Amino acid sequence: MSVPLSVTIFLPLAAGLAGAVLPRGWARWTVLAAALAVLGIAIWMVADYPAGGAGLRDLTNQQWIPELGIRYSLGVDGLNVFLIALTALLWVAATAAACFREWDRPRLFYFHMALAETAVLGAFCAQDLALFVFFFDLMLVPFYFLIGSWGGRQRVRATTKLVIYTLVGSLLMLAGAVALGVLATPAGGHVSFALPVLAHRLVGKGTQEWIFLLFAAAFLVKAPAFPFHGWMPDAYRAAPIPVLVVFSAVLSKVGMYGFLRIVVPLLPQAAQHYQTLMIVIAVVSILYGSALAFSQDDARLVVGYSSVAQLGFILLGIFALDVEGKGAQGAVLQMVNHGLVVAPLFLIIWALSARAGGSESLGRMGGVAFRAPALAGLFLIVALATLAMPGSANFVGELLILFGTFSTKLAFGLVASAGVALAAVYMIRMYQRSMHNRVGAAVESRDVTRGELVTIAPLVAVIVALGVYPHFVVARTERSTVRQERPAASLEHASETGGQASVPPAGTAELGPLGRAP
Amino acid sequence: MTAAGWGWLILAIPLAGCVFVSLGWRALPGRSAGWIASAAVLGAFASAIGAFVSLQQRPPAARHVVSIAYSYAHTAGVNVDLGILVDPLSVFMALVVSGVSFLIHVYSVSYMTSDRGYARYFAYLNYFVFSMLLLVMAGNFVLLIVGWAFVGAASYLLISFWYRRTTATAAGIKAFVINVIGDVGMVVGAFLLFRHVHALDYGHVFARSAHVFSVDDGTLVAACLLFLVGAFAKSAQLPLHTWLPDAMEGPTPVSALIHAATMVTAGVYLIARLHPLFERAPTAADVAAVIGCATLIFAATVALVVTDLKRVIAYSTISQIGYMVLGVSTFAYAAGLFHLMTHAFFKALLFMGAGSVIGAMGGEQSLDKMGGFRRAMPFTFVAFTVGALALGAFPLMSGLFSKDAILAFALHRGGGYAVLAVLGYLAALVTAFYAFRMVFRVFWGDRVPQAESLERGELWHGEHFNPATGEEEDTDVGFPGPEHHIAEREVPMRFAMGLLAVLSVVGGVVAIPGVTSWLENFLRPAFSDSRYFEQAPTHSAEWVGLAAGAVVGVAGIALAYTFYVRRRGFTLELRDRFPRLHGFLEGTWYFDELYDALFVRPAARFGRFGRTVVESAFVQGVVIGGASGVVRSASAIARGLESGLLRGYALLLLAGLGGLALYFLLVSS
C-alpha cells in the first residue's frame, strides 16, 4: 500500500491554499501539518524501498498534453527516494523554525513555503522531461516572493540577480529540453519527453554536445558552481533563515539531480566529451569556494561559499564517470549529507545571531559556548560532519567521490583532495570564532531554547545515524544510480581501451518503454 | 568470552562512558563525572586483559581474530565493514593505551576539580580513549582512518579546552588542520592500494599486495609515503611537527595523555601495523628511518634551550617518537613498541610532575621563574626525577632497555643504519642533559617565593594572566580554574604518579636481553610474516650497547649537573657567546616562520584576492553586466516583473519557446 505520488506532491500546495483562505492564525499549522504528513509518507517510502532495488515505483503515468507528447509521469527509484525524504524532512524543520516567529502576511508566507515544497517534490519525482522543466521553473516563483517580500537588507538587488541568473539558465534549459525531445523523435514517430523513451532515442554526438551545454548552464547556476555563483552572496544575505534552509539545502540539489537524472543518461556522449570541462569547474569550485569560505566574516557567507565547494565535490563525483559508479554513488550520498548539514548550520547561525545582538558577523560573536554547552555540542557535530570527518556519512560520500575520481582522473582527484583539508580550516574557524575565544561585546550567551532544539536536534540525530550506518543509503541508491551512469561510463571505458563505443540505453535491462517494469 | 567479544567491549565501554557523561553532565555532582569516566577506562583496561588472556589460550597461529559487526558501506566495488582485528599487536596497544589512560583519568579527577568544564573535560577524555582504541582495534583502512580522525578531533577539543584563551584556540586549529592533512594522505594512500588490490581490510590488502607488487614497486612506495604523511602528522615528526609544542596549551593531563603517551605514538603503531607493506617497500621505510633520526636530533637540540617547562617535555616527546619511528622503520618492531610502552610511562609521569609544579607556581610555566622546589615538593621531586632518569636512560631504568634495543638493532643491520644508530647515541647524550636541565632548574637552585610559601604550607595563587601572551583572563567564569591542585596534597594524583614511577623503573623487565623476552614472545604471532622479526642482534652485542647507552646517559646527567649546579651561569655565557645559534634553536629552527610564509599567508592572500578582485570585479562586475547597462536594464526588467511576475515570466517562457520553434522551422525547411 502506498500513497499516490500526486497526493504527496500536491498535499503541501493544497494545505497552502487552505491556509490562505482559513483564518490568519491557522496558516502556519495547516502548512506544518502538511509538511509533517509528507514527511510521514517519505519515511514510509524509504522504509518500504528494498535494499538493492532499482526500478521505478509508485508510478503515475498519464497523458497531459498529448499534442506535444508531454506526459504527467512520476516515479520513485533509488536515485530520488532519499532526496524526497530529505526535502520532506528539511521542509518540516524550516516550517517549524518559521512557526516560532511572526511574519507579515503569514498566510501568503506559508502559501509560498508550501508551493515551494510542491515544486521541489515535483522536480524530484518527474519522469518526463517537460514535467521536470515545469517544476524546475515553478520553484523560482515562491522563492522570488519569499526572498523579495520577507527578505532582509538589499532584497530587491538580491532577487533581481537571482531571477536574472536563474531565468537565463531556465530558458536555456527549456530550449535544450524542447530541442532534445524534437530532435530525438525518429522519422514518423511521435514526439515524447518521457525519460525512459528518450534514453532509447539518443541523438547524435554533435547535437548532444550543444544540448548538454544548455542543461549544464541551468544546473550549474542552481548549484551554484564557480563562476556562476554571482547571485549567491546577495541572495544568501537577504533570505530569511527558514527560507534559506530549504533554499540552500534542497534547491541546489535539484540541479545536481538533474545531471544524474537527465544529462548523463540522455546525453552520454556529450557527458563523456565535456567530462574534463565539468571536472575543472568542479575542482575550481572546490578550491575557490573553500578559499573564500575561510576569508568571510559573515557567517551565512561562510556556509554559502562552503556550499560552492561541497557542490563542487558532488559535481566531481557525477563526472568521475568510473565504470563501477563510485563517483556517482558518492555524489548521491553527498547530496543527502550536504542537505542535512547545511540546514542545521543555518538554524544554528540564527540561534547564534540571537545571542550576538542580532549580528551574523563572526567578528562580533565569540565565547557563546560558555553558557550554551548543548548548542555548542550540536554545532560541533554539524561542523565536523560538514568538514567530512571520517566517521560521518559525509566522509563516506567524499571517499567514494574521490575514489571514483582517482580511478578516472587521478590528477584532478589529487587537487580536489586538497579541498578536504581546506574544509577543516573554514569550518573549525567558524566554530571557533562563534563558540570559542573571548566573549564578544554584545554577546549574551544562553543555551538552546525549546524551539531551537526541536528544529536542530532531529537533524543532528539523522546526521549521527547516517554516520553510524551509511550502508542504509548506499545499498538503496546503488542500482538506480549506476544505471544512470552506465552509458556514459562505459563509453569512457570503451574510448580508453580503444574499442568501438557501444551505448546500451539507460534502463534497458530493468524497464520497458515508459518506465514500466516488464 | 571470546577474544572478539573482549575486543568489542574494549570499544564499547569508553564510548558508553563518553555518552553517559556528556548527556548527564548537568546531573552529575562533584567529582562523580571524573570517577565514572575513570571507571569506564578501567573497564576497557580489564577487557583488554580479557582479550590478552583469551588470545594467549589460542595456538600462536590462531591469534588473529577478525570480527565484523555489520556492513558499513558496500557499494560500487568499495566494501567496508565495521570490523575489528584482535591480534597481539592491537591488544598490546589497547593495554598500553587504556592502562596509561586510566592513570591519567585518575590524576585528572583531582587536577581538574575546580574547573568549570569538569564534566565536559571527562566526556572529551573518554571520547579520546574510545577513538584511540578504535584506531588500534580497527580491522580495515577505513575504520583506521575513522579512529585516526577521531583522535585528531579529540585532540583539538582538548587543546582548546580553555577556549577563552586565544592562544589555546589558535593551537587547536593548527593541530586539527595538520592532522587533517595527514588524514588526506592516508585516504590517498589507501586508494593507491585499493586500486591494485581491490580491498580495504588488512588481511586481503596484505595478502594480495604480496602478489601484486614487486619489491619497491613505485605505487607501493608512493602509498607507503602517503601513509607516512599521516603517521608523521599525528606523531609530530619533521616536517609536520609544529603543532605539538603549541598543543601544550591544553590542560597538563591532556598533554600527558594525548600529546605524549598515546595519540602521538599512533604513527609508530601505523608503521608496525603496515609492516608487510613497508618491508616490500624498503625505500619508504628508509625514508621513515632517516626522518625519524633527523627528528630526534632536531627536537633534542630545541629541548636544550626552550624555557617553557611543558614545551621542553613536548620537544622531548617529538625526539623520543623519533627513536620509535627509527625503530619500527628499521624493522625493529618489538624494540620500537617496547620504547612506545616505556615512553608512555615515563613521559606521562614527567607531565604529571610538571603539572604539579605548575600548580605550585600558580600557572606559571617558565623555567626561568622556577627553582628550589626540592624541599617544598618531595613527592613530586622524587617522581619527576624518576621520570627524568628513565628518559635520560640511566642504568637499569626502563628507558635504557627500550632505547638501546632500537639502537642495537640498527647497529646490527649495519651500513647506513649504523650511522643512524650512532647519531641516536649522540642524541641520547643530549636527552640526558636536557632531562636533568629540567630537574636541576626546577628543584635545585635558589628557592622562588612560590616554593617558600609552599614550605610554609600555603599554595600560591597567581594572577590570572595567559602565560603565553600576558592577556588578562576572565576569572569570573572559573577559567582556567580558581584553584590549583598539586600532587603533594591529592591522593588520586599521588596514586597515579606513584604507580607510573614504579612502572618507569621496572617497565624494562619485559625485555631484558638474555633474561626475558616476554614482549617479543607475545608479539611474535602478529609479525609472523615479517622477515626481520627474528633478526635480533646477539645478547652480548645488546649488552655492549646497553653499557654504552648507560655511559652516555650518566655522562649527560653529569654534564647537566656541572652546567646547572656546579657552574651556574655558564649556560648564560654560552648563550651570549653564540647568540645566532641560540636564536636559531630557540626559534625552533624557524619552521613556523617558514610555513607561515609558504602556506598560511599565501592562502590568506588568495582568499583576499578572491574576495576583492574576483568577487567584486569579475563576478559582480563583468559577469553581472559591467558598468554599462546590463544591470540597469536587468533591474528594469525585474521591476517590470515585480508588478506581475507570473505574467512576465510566462511571457518570457513563451518568447523562448517561440524563438526555438522559429529556429527549427528555419532549420528544417
Side-chain angles (χ1 to χ4, degrees):
Chain A
M1 195 222 76
S2 64
V3 184
L5 275 179
S6 300
V7 174
T8 315
I9 292 172
F10 287 102
L11 187 63
L13 180 59
L17 285 171
V21 294
L22 287 170
R24 258 175 84 91
W26 291 23
R28 65 174 74 171
W29 305 119
T30 46
V31 170
L32 183 61
L36 279 167
V38 172
L39 177 61
I41 298 169
I43 290 173
W44 169 253
M45 268 186 213
V46 169
D48 193 40
Y49 197 86
L56 283 170
R57 297 154 60 91
D58 300 330
L59 274 172
T60 301
N61 191 358
Q62 279 156 356
Q63 290 282 5
W64 187 23
I65 312 176
E67 293 79 11
L68 298 176
I70 296 174
R71 302 180 71 88
Y72 177 75
S73 166
L74 307 166
V76 173
D77 66 0
L79 185 59
N80 57 8
V81 66
F82 285 99
L83 294 170
I84 293 167
L86 176 78
T87 309
L89 177 66
L90 296 186
W91 241 278
V92 171
T95 314
C99 285
F100 286 100
R101 300 273 173 116
E102 294 302 325
W103 303 91
D104 285 349
R105 290 168 289 154
R107 284 182 287 200
L108 209 51
F109 178 83
Y110 287 104
F111 167 76
H112 282 302
M113 285 293 280
L115 175 62
E117 181 172 13
T118 292
V120 172
L121 286 174
F124 279 136
C125 293
Q127 299 298 330
D128 184 287
L129 185 52
L131 192 64
F132 175 82
V133 172
F134 167 76
F135 280 121
F136 189 87
D137 288 344
L138 183 62
M139 291 191 310
L140 181 60
V141 178
F143 281 104
Y144 170 78
F145 284 109
L146 284 170
I147 298 175
S149 306
W150 287 272
R153 277 176 300 136
Q154 297 195 317
R155 56 177 189 258
V156 174
R157 198 172 107 123
T159 40
T160 308
K161 273 194 202 170
L162 174 67
V163 166
I164 292 168
Y165 265 90
T166 349
L167 211 54
V168 169
S170 292
L171 287 174
L172 292 176
M173 181 176 71
L174 178 65
V178 173
L180 185 59
V182 171
L183 294 181
T185 312
H190 292 287
V191 177
S192 172
F193 290 96
L195 296 178
V197 175
L198 288 175
H200 285 264
R201 296 175 171 178
L202 293 184
V203 292
K205 184 163 185 288
T207 317
Q208 282 190 17
E209 283 169 8
W210 63 264
I211 294 178
F212 178 95
L213 292 180
L214 299 180
F215 276 101
F219 295 153
L220 291 178
V221 165
K222 207 76 175 185
F226 182 88
F228 307 102
H229 66 284
W231 58 269
M232 187 275 288
D234 286 334
Y236 273 39
R237 263 195 295 253
I241 288 280
V243 175
L244 189 52
V245 165
V246 284
F247 187 67
S248 173
V250 183
L251 256 71
S252 56
K253 308 302 171 300
V254 183
M256 292 296 138
Y257 170 78
F259 274 118
L260 269 176
R261 176 66 80 191
I262 294 162
V263 173
V264 175
L266 301 190
L267 309 165
Q269 284 170 309
Q272 206 269 323
H273 182 80
Y274 287 116
Q275 184 193 14
T276 311
L277 173 70
M278 301 307 284
I279 285 185
V280 167
I281 291 178
V283 170
V284 173
S285 295
I286 292 170
L287 298 182
Y288 184 79
S290 306
L292 282 212
F294 65 65
S295 56
Q296 297 296 323
D297 181 56
D298 186 331
R300 287 186 188 208
L301 291 190
V302 175
V303 180
Y305 282 108
S306 88
S307 296
V308 173
Q310 302 283 328
L311 268 296
F313 267 109
I314 296 173
L315 187 65
L316 185 68
I318 293 172
F319 283 92
L321 296 179
D322 60 306
V323 184
E324 288 170 307
K326 286 190 275 289
Q329 266 290 75
V332 174
L333 179 58
Q334 202 61 357
M335 284 186 217
V336 178
N337 290 334
H338 180 249
L340 280 175
V341 295
V342 160
L345 276 179
F346 281 121
L347 292 173
I348 287 166
I349 289 174
W350 216 20
L352 286 174
S353 78
R355 286 159 178 74
S359 168
E360 286 171 0
S361 143
L362 289 179
R364 303 176 68 93
M365 295 180 186
V368 177
F370 179 58
R371 284 180 213 285
L375 182 64
L378 292 171
F379 189 7
L380 181 68
I381 295 173
V382 178
L384 292 178
T386 308
L387 62 86
M389 189 171 80
S392 63
N394 304 56
F395 170 69
V396 178
E398 274 189 8
L399 185 83
L400 288 169
I401 289 171
L402 287 177
F403 270 31
T405 316
F406 288 149
S407 54
T408 54
K409 301 269 176 190
L410 185 62
F412 287 109
L414 289 177
V415 178
S417 56
V420 179
L422 294 177
V425 180
Y426 61 70
M427 272 329 289
I428 289 295
R429 171 180 173 271
M430 177 172 163
Y431 179 74
Q432 201 169 70
R433 296 253 167 126
S434 54
M435 284 294 175
H436 289 172
N437 287 350
R438 298 177 84 81
V439 187
V443 169
E444 203 174 316
S445 175
R446 59 181 181 279
D447 213 346
V448 275
T449 63
R450 202 171 302 151
E452 288 159 0
L453 198 66
V454 297
T455 50
I456 298 171
L459 300 178
V460 173
V462 177
I463 292 172
V464 172
L466 283 188
V468 173
Y469 191 48
H471 188 68
F472 184 80
V473 177
V474 290
R476 282 161 180 75
T477 59
E478 176 165 9
R479 288 186 62 199
S480 310
T481 309
V482 172
R483 199 183 60 200
Q484 301 292 321
E485 287 250 321
R486 198 180 302 140
S490 54
L491 252 181
E492 159 88 349
H493 196 62
S495 68
E496 261 176 19
T497 52
Q500 184 60 43
S502 66
V503 188
T508 28
E510 291 87 358
L511 289 173
L514 302 182
R516 272 188 237 282
Chain B
M1 197 157 41
T2 62
W6 287 117
W8 287 110
L9 263 189
I10 291 175
L11 296 177
I13 300 175
L15 181 61
C18 165
V19 171
F20 184 80
V21 173
S22 45
L23 293 182
W25 60 277
R26 211 188 281 274
L28 293 171
R31 291 181 171 187
S32 58
W35 288 120
I36 291 168
S38 307
V41 181
L42 187 63
F45 182 65
S47 311
I49 291 176
F52 172 82
V53 171
S54 69
L55 266 192
Q56 291 302 95
Q57 284 166 350
R58 291 163 158 261
R63 292 181 195 162
H64 180 98
V65 183
V66 177
S67 171
I68 289 170
Y70 58 81
S71 302
Y72 185 66
H74 277 218
T75 183
V78 179
N79 295 328
V80 182
D81 292 310
L82 192 77
I84 56 169
L85 167 63
V86 184
D87 74 344
L89 178 56
S90 62
V91 170
F92 167 80
M93 289 298 294
L95 280 169
V96 173
V97 168
S98 55
V100 175
S101 297
F102 169 66
L103 292 178
I104 292 170
H105 272 70
V106 170
Y107 179 90
S108 304
V109 166
S110 287
Y111 188 87
M112 298 299 287
T113 298
S114 53
D115 200 283
R116 297 285 277 270
Y118 193 71
R120 181 167 63 95
Y121 173 83
F122 281 99
Y124 289 167
L125 218 54
N126 261 8
Y127 170 63
F128 166 76
V129 175
F130 161 72
S131 311
M132 186 71 201
L133 290 169
L134 180 65
L135 190 164
V136 299
M137 303 297 294
N140 59 56
F141 282 94
V142 173
L143 215 54
L144 170 79
I145 294 171
V146 171
W148 203 260
F150 275 15
V151 294
S155 158
Y156 161 74
L157 290 169
L158 285 162
I159 292 170
S160 46
F161 180 76
W162 285 321
Y163 52 71
R164 302 219 168 173
R165 268 187 189 165
T166 45
T167 46
T169 54
I173 200 167
K174 187 173 178 186
F176 193 82
V177 171
I178 292 182
N179 273 305
V180 168
I181 291 171
D183 297 349
V184 174
M186 307 243 313
V187 168
V188 181
F191 172 75
L192 288 184
L193 293 177
F194 175 82
R195 187 182 209 179
H196 294 276
V197 300
H198 306 288
L200 286 167
D201 63 297
Y202 294 143
H204 283 106
V205 169
F206 296 156
R208 289 182 194 164
S209 47
H211 303 295
V212 174
F213 299 112
S214 55
V215 173
D216 259 347
D217 179 282
T219 310
L220 185 63
V221 173
C224 286
L225 289 176
L226 285 162
F227 281 114
L228 285 181
V229 173
F232 289 172
K234 194 119 294 177
S235 290
Q237 300 292 290
L238 288 175
L240 297 171
H241 65 283
T242 54
W243 64 272
L244 186 62
D246 290 3
M248 296 300 121
E249 288 286 342
T252 305
V254 169
S255 311
L257 176 60
I258 301 184
H259 306 116
T262 55
M263 179 186 93
V264 289
T265 58
V268 180
Y269 164 77
L270 182 73
I271 299 174
R273 173 58 77 200
L274 303 186
H275 68 270
L277 303 179
F278 279 95
E279 287 189 14
R280 260 195 121 59
T283 310
D286 290 346
V287 170
V290 170
I291 291 181
C293 189
T295 307
L296 74 90
I297 295 168
F298 150 75
T301 60
V302 175
L304 282 177
V305 296
V306 175
T307 52
D308 181 312
L309 177 60
K310 282 181 75 180
R311 280 179 186 246
V312 177
I313 311 181
Y315 278 103
S316 157
T317 303
I318 297 176
S319 170
Q320 294 298 307
I321 296 169
Y323 278 104
M324 297 174 214
V325 168
L326 174 65
V328 289
S329 53
T330 51
F331 309 134
Y333 307 112
L337 293 167
F338 183 24
H339 197 54
L340 188 158
M341 181 185 80
T342 58
H343 174 259
F345 298 151
F346 64 71
K347 194 52 67 68
L349 177 62
L350 282 173
F351 266 117
M352 287 182 178
S356 189
V357 172
I358 292 166
M361 292 290 296
E364 177 60 59
Q365 302 190 1
S366 170
L367 280 174
D368 290 337
K369 296 181 182 160
M370 297 178 186
F373 271 108
R374 202 167 11 147
R375 197 131 13 106
M377 310 181 77
F379 182 83
T380 306
F381 165 61
V382 171
F384 194 90
T385 309
V386 167
L389 285 171
L391 170 64
F394 193 77
L396 299 183
M397 303 296 279
S398 60
L400 173 67
F401 289 106
S402 54
K403 187 192 289 179
D404 255 37
I406 292 170
L407 298 177
F409 197 98
L411 271 180
H412 173 73
R413 283 194 67 190
Y417 303 107
V419 177
L420 298 182
V422 171
L423 291 172
Y425 277 112
L426 278 179
L429 182 74
V430 182
T431 306
F433 180 84
Y434 71 67
F436 275 82
R437 170 175 173 254
M438 290 189 286
V439 173
F440 293 135
R441 292 195 66 173
V442 173
F443 296 101
W444 263 261
D446 306 324
R447 280 179 302 171
V448 290
Q450 289 90 337
E452 284 172 2
S453 75
L454 194 61
E455 281 178 36
R456 288 196 305 273
E458 294 159 17
L459 188 55
W460 180 278
H461 293 290
E463 301 291 312
H464 287 270
F465 288 108
N466 183 340
T469 57
E471 262 180 324
E472 194 177 352
E473 288 172 337
D474 320 351
T475 46
D476 61 317
V477 299
F479 152 81
E483 295 166 39
H484 302 285
H485 299 272
I486 60 172
E488 312 302 311
R489 299 179 174 191
E490 291 281 338
V491 177
M493 289 169 91
R494 296 175 72 144
F495 166 74
M497 286 171 70
L499 203 52
L500 279 176
V502 172
L503 287 170
S504 300
V505 177
V506 304
V509 78
V510 296
I512 301 173
V515 182
T516 56
S517 48
W518 302 340
L519 185 66
E520 266 177 83
N521 290 341
F522 174 61
L523 289 174
R524 182 166 288 117
F527 294 94
S528 57
D529 49 355
S530 163
R531 290 187 294 118
Y532 294 88
F533 193 78
E534 303 300 340
Q535 290 192 12
T538 60
H539 296 319
S540 51
E542 285 196 51
W543 278 104
V544 171
L546 277 175
V551 169
V552 166
V554 173
I557 295 170
L559 217 58
Y561 185 73
T562 322
F563 277 28
Y564 291 102
V565 182
R566 296 276 301 279
R567 289 190 55 188
R568 284 169 58 199
F570 180 63
T571 49
L572 292 179
E573 285 171 32
L574 278 181
R575 190 179 71 187
D576 294 338
R577 198 173 305 164
F578 305 104
R580 281 260 186 82
L581 179 66
H582 182 263
F584 177 69
L585 293 180
E586 197 172 35
T588 67
W589 296 31
Y590 302 125
F591 273 102
D592 277 318
E593 286 73 8
L594 182 72
Y595 293 164
D596 203 45
L598 278 183
F599 305 111
V600 181
R601 264 180 277 157
R605 220 174 293 146
F606 179 67
R608 234 184 355 258
F609 170 79
R611 211 173 54 219
T612 53
V613 179
V614 183
E615 287 295 285
S616 55
F618 177 66
V619 178
Q620 307 294 340
V622 179
V623 176
I624 290 188
S628 67
V630 181
V631 169
R632 254 170 294 152
S633 60
S635 39
I637 294 174
R639 266 198 299 280
L641 287 175
E642 246 180 319
S643 51
L645 176 93
L646 278 171
R647 199 178 57 223
Y649 188 44
L651 264 172
L652 270 171
L653 289 184
L654 244 135
L657 256 171
L660 217 84
L662 197 68
Y663 169 77
F664 286 114
L665 246 145
L666 292 174
V667 169
S668 57
S669 60

